[in-house]
Amino acid sequence: MMTIFGDDEVHAYDNNPVDSQPATLAIFRRIMRDSDLTPLYQPIVDLKSGAIMGYEGLIRGPADSPLHPPVKLFNAARLYGRVIELERLCRKLHIDQFAALGLSGKLFLNMSPHALMMPMGNGNGDATLLLPTIAGMPTENIVIELTESEATSSYPALRQAVSDYRGMGLQIAIDDLGEGFSSLRLWSELRPEYVKIDKYFVQGIDTDAVKRQFLRSICEIARQAKSLVIAEGIETEAELEAVRSLGIQYGQGFLLARPTAKPEAVLPPATLRLFASNGASAHSRAREGWKSMATARKVVRPVPVVADTLATNDVYDIFTQQPELQVLAVLRDGVPVGLIHRLRLLDRLARPYHRELYGNKPCAQFIENAPLIVDHQTSLQDLSHLFTEANPHHLSEGFIITEQGRLMGVGTGFDLIREITQMQIHAARYANPLSQLPGNVPINEHIESLLENEESFSVCYADLDNFKPFNDLYSYRKGDEAIQITAELLREHTDPSMDFVGHIGGDDFIIVFRSRNWRDRCRRILDGFEAATAHLYKPEHVADKGYITENRQGCAIFHPLISISLGVVEASVALPHSSHQIAECAAQAKSEAKKLAGNSLFVERRVPGKCLETTRK
């Protein structure tokens, strides 16, 4: 069984029988004889930046033929015993056309395990189709995509075959993870570089908690196995946001791009806007906190641009006339497709006869393979993650920065490291030493950023009640432990992909909620506080729900156990207000909450600014 169909197509072609009449056989033989197949390519997209990291090769039969649908085409091949031959032809067409179109990035080629395990040396294997000499395509850009079918009884042979192909520089992907019972064993046995999650688990994930939990588990296994995850079948913006919020690196689906015979090197501006939206940037800011407000725009450098059809000699002249220029960008139809580096170009042209051979040919042949292309709104934190997951040569050779698919300039690893270092210094300067949570400055910066981007959010002011007498009786070390427990409780009941937790100082905290279920989260904080702090007290104090101490006048006073008060104010996009108004209103809400006994929540229902006017009268 072989997955060479798009997201809208059936994966198992066993249920799509074909006519076994001689006419069908004649059509199939003609298709094979004339290689009358159309290779299609569906982009696989980086879900952080919107850049296309590669393409999956799909196939279609002749448009006027009953074997046009791939399900019927492969059913016919299986009926006539020519599946392996058809697979081999499909891969050859995909490689040749990929090179002819000038596409860059990874090419995902489907292969059944049976074909993969065929010996290479007897002419039946596919190694000769995947060597660098075929169409000039480097093997490191080819990913063999396997399904679990046929593999479950031949793991040793399959492991050896995978090892042989890896030895040639190829990478491995497992397709349709979750579709069959043995997917996880196949993953464990082969340790693939990529894992593609079956579209069943992606469709409707925004409303299905079970599917989200499944994908969280897959992501955790992938981190341990050092595999990159690709989510298939993304068809709605809600599914895209849900998948991105789980930290999944790559995606594929009709929302992003459909299979086509001539795919673009860059997603259209309308699609790229999905990655530059306020919601996406807010996810990044919330995940990394206030530190991730700096974006790739901060490290952009303008560079000269040339068309990919410009003669190599002309590019050589540009470098010789500008000795300080180290890199230039290459455009195809106005869209950036790669970089040409000064030292590499000059080194190659300095070799014997290379200037004569390549000087008058288009400069596109000197483009670096699989350039890293990011949108200008990509946070520097996300950009640093891209470097750890992509080819590390981008750090030294640079990356392309775009705005709505158009070139802005390039960035360098040196500039990125410098900015990240400055951010870390800034973080250390303002982080609370006890809880390690961001302090007042980053809290204000985060709220100002949300207001600037016109995003709705809620601010929760958390304060401990009866903390001072506890600190006096049990010592400052127990007091510090109570503060650390509170910080951990707030972290536990907030969504790191959406919410922000800060520490004002002492026993005061701030939560900036973007989670829609913030009320439920606040209730869970209140419900969990007593159990989380119970071990701090002597048993008799827990039994009495408090303790007695003497004040300065020698009078005995009963003090209840520590409790937590939460005051919340909602900030709406429709109402203009400042971070100072919101902070003051949250403080007023906290004061109201402290008037209630025990662990309490008070929600300020008046708008920021209005509530202050009322309290000041």
Side-chain angles (χ1 to χ4, degrees), residues 16-48:
N16 292 271
V18 295
D19 186 0
S20 59
Q21 295 299 319
T24 304
L25 176 58
I27 293 172
F28 181 79
R29 286 175 172 171
R30 178 182 59 79
I31 290 173
M32 297 297 292
R33 182 191 68 228
D34 300 337
S35 300
D36 193 8
L37 297 170
T38 301
L40 305 182
Y41 302 90
Q42 185 173 28
I44 298 173
V45 178
D46 188 310
L47 298 183
K48 294 179 181 177

Side-chain angles (χ1 to χ4, degrees), residues 229-259:
V229 179
I230 302 172
E232 295 185 296
I234 300 174
E235 297 184 356
T236 69
E237 292 187 32
E239 291 170 355
L240 174 63
E241 283 304 310
V243 167
R244 294 172 71 190
S245 70
L246 294 173
I248 292 176
Q249 178 73 43
Y250 300 112
Q252 188 177 354
F254 283 180
L255 177 70
L256 306 176
R258 291 176 176 265

Side-chain angles (χ1 to χ4, degrees), residues 285 288-291 293 426-427 429-432 435-451 457-462 490 499-506 508-513 578-580 582-584 586:
R285 284 193 300 276
E288 297 294 343
W290 59 280
K291 297 181 290 183
M293 289 182 290
H426 190 67
R429 180 182 302 165
Y430 293 111
N432 186 284
S435 65
Q436 297 301 307
L437 291 173
N440 291 353
V441 171
I443 291 171
N444 292 334
E445 288 178 348
H446 185 71
I447 293 176
E448 288 287 358
S449 174
L450 294 176
L451 291 173
F457 59 95
S458 300
V459 175
C460 174
Y461 195 130
L490 300 184
D499 308 323
F500 173 95
V501 183
H503 190 172
I504 299 173
D508 294 351
F509 297 85
I510 284 287
I511 307 172
V512 182
F513 282 113
S578 69
S579 61
H580 299 293
I582 292 172
E584 290 184 45

Side-chain angles (χ1 to χ4, degrees), residues 38-106:
T38 301
L40 305 182
Y41 302 90
Q42 185 173 28
I44 298 173
V45 178
D46 188 310
L47 298 183
K48 294 179 181 177
S49 65
I52 296 175
M53 62 81 74
Y55 303 83
E56 179 181 1
L58 308 170
I59 205 73
R60 297 292 184 274
D64 58 351
S65 163
L67 300 185
H68 173 70
V71 288
K72 292 189 175 180
L73 176 67
F74 271 83
N75 267 334
R78 200 167 72 122
L79 183 64
Y80 305 132
R82 300 181 67 178
V83 172
I84 299 299
E85 186 180 348
L86 177 59
E87 285 189 35
R88 187 179 298 115
L89 176 59
C90 291
R91 285 189 290 276
K92 184 179 188 307
L93 293 175
H94 277 127
I95 293 174
D96 291 346
Q97 185 66 3
F98 191 86
L101 292 172
L103 297 175
S104 60
K106 303 287 186 180

Side-chain angles (χ1 to χ4, degrees), residues 346-547:
L346 298 184
D347 175 68
R348 289 183 62 181
L349 292 183
R351 299 174 187 175
Y353 307 112
H354 274 55
R355 185 75 178 274
E356 292 78 6
L357 288 172
Y358 301 109
N360 293 320
K361 293 183 178 180
C363 65
Q365 61 191 314
F366 290 93
I367 294 175
E368 302 302 330
N369 289 321
L372 180 60
I373 303 176
V374 300
D375 184 81
H376 71 107
Q377 290 187 331
T378 303
S379 75
L380 294 188
Q381 291 290 329
D382 284 344
L383 189 54
S384 68
H385 294 323
L386 286 177
F387 279 113
T388 61
E389 295 166 356
N391 195 316
H393 80 271
H394 297 306
L395 265 177
S396 59
E397 298 185 355
F399 51 95
I400 294 172
I401 301 174
T402 63
E403 182 175 12
Q404 293 187 345
R406 298 296 174 181
L407 178 75
M408 282 189 69
V410 301
T412 68
F414 174 81
D415 291 337
L416 176 63
I417 292 172
R418 184 193 65 238
E419 291 298 330
I420 292 290
T421 301
Q422 290 299 319
M423 289 163 56
Q424 291 172 339
I425 293 173
H426 190 67
R429 180 182 302 165
Y430 293 111
N432 186 284
L434 185 60
S435 65
Q436 297 301 307
L437 291 173
N440 291 353
V441 171
I443 291 171
N444 292 334
E445 288 178 348
H446 185 71
I447 293 176
E448 288 287 358
S449 174
L450 294 176
L451 291 173
E452 181 181 344
N453 286 279
E454 299 183 346
E455 298 169 18
S456 297
F457 59 95
S458 300
V459 175
C460 174
Y461 195 130
D463 187 19
L464 299 184
D465 308 315
N466 310 305
F467 179 71
K468 186 178 185 307
F470 170 84
N471 207 44
D472 292 340
L473 178 64
Y474 279 95
S475 83
Y476 73 91
R477 293 189 65 179
K478 283 278 190 176
D480 287 350
E481 187 177 353
I483 290 173
Q484 290 171 326
I485 289 171
T486 303
E488 184 56 37
L489 187 68
L490 300 184
R491 287 193 191 97
E492 179 183 348
H493 294 294
T494 51
D495 183 348
S497 70
M498 297 288 286
D499 308 323
F500 173 95
V501 183
H503 190 172
I504 299 173
D507 59 333
D508 294 351
F509 297 85
I510 284 287
I511 307 172
V512 182
F513 282 113
R514 291 192 69 255
S515 300
R516 295 181 179 180
N517 62 339
W518 59 264
R519 285 183 175 83
D520 292 335
R521 294 180 182 277
C522 287
R523 293 189 186 98
R524 289 198 289 270
I525 292 171
L526 299 179
D527 294 341
F529 185 82
E530 183 176 344
T533 55
H535 70 281
L536 297 175
Y537 307 98
K538 296 177 181 178
E540 58 268 27
H541 292 167
V542 175
D544 295 338
K545 297 187 180 301
Y547 42 84

